[in-house]
Amino acid sequence: MAEGRSRPGDVKALRDGVLEVRVRIGNRNFRLAYADLGDDLVLLGLHFFHKQRQVEDRHVAIAVERLKDWRDRIST
């Protein structure tokens, strides 16, 4: 992601600056919630899932809150 080598459809904008990339490693699927802040990527959460399904609202809310917290800490 940091090198800009994602494929079309790999990245999905969730809300409030939080993005999601889905990664398959072997037979496991992961969802990585992150923020792209120009020169930096900030990992906000990692969620393992067994079956394809929509992103759960609570995981998105956690990632949004973590991004807000991170921005608050670096701005002081």
Side-chain angles (χ1 to χ4, degrees), residues 37 40 42 67-76:
L37 303 173
D40 297 316
V42 178
L67 178 57
K68 180 186 177 309
D69 179 60
W70 187 84
R71 284 182 169 152
D72 288 346
R73 285 187 281 132
I74 66 160
S75 66
T76 57

Side-chain angles (χ1 to χ4, degrees), residues 13-72:
L14 298 178
R15 68 178 168 95
D16 300 328
V18 174
L19 304 167
E20 174 193 66
V21 63
R22 293 180 182 207
V23 179
R24 182 173 180 90
I25 300 172
N27 63 350
R28 293 185 174 202
N29 295 301
F30 298 89
R31 289 183 172 141
L32 299 164
Y34 72 99
D36 186 348
L37 303 173
D39 292 337
D40 297 316
L41 295 179
V42 178
L43 180 63
L44 303 167
L46 171 64
H47 179 67
F48 169 76
F49 61 101
H50 294 280
K51 298 178 183 176
Q52 297 285 358
R53 60 179 183 257
Q54 290 184 338
V55 178
E56 296 177 29
D57 288 337
R58 66 186 176 97
H59 296 294
V60 175
I62 290 168
V64 168
E65 184 58 34
R66 287 179 180 170
L67 178 57
K68 180 186 177 309
D69 179 60
W70 187 84
R71 284 182 169 152
D72 288 346

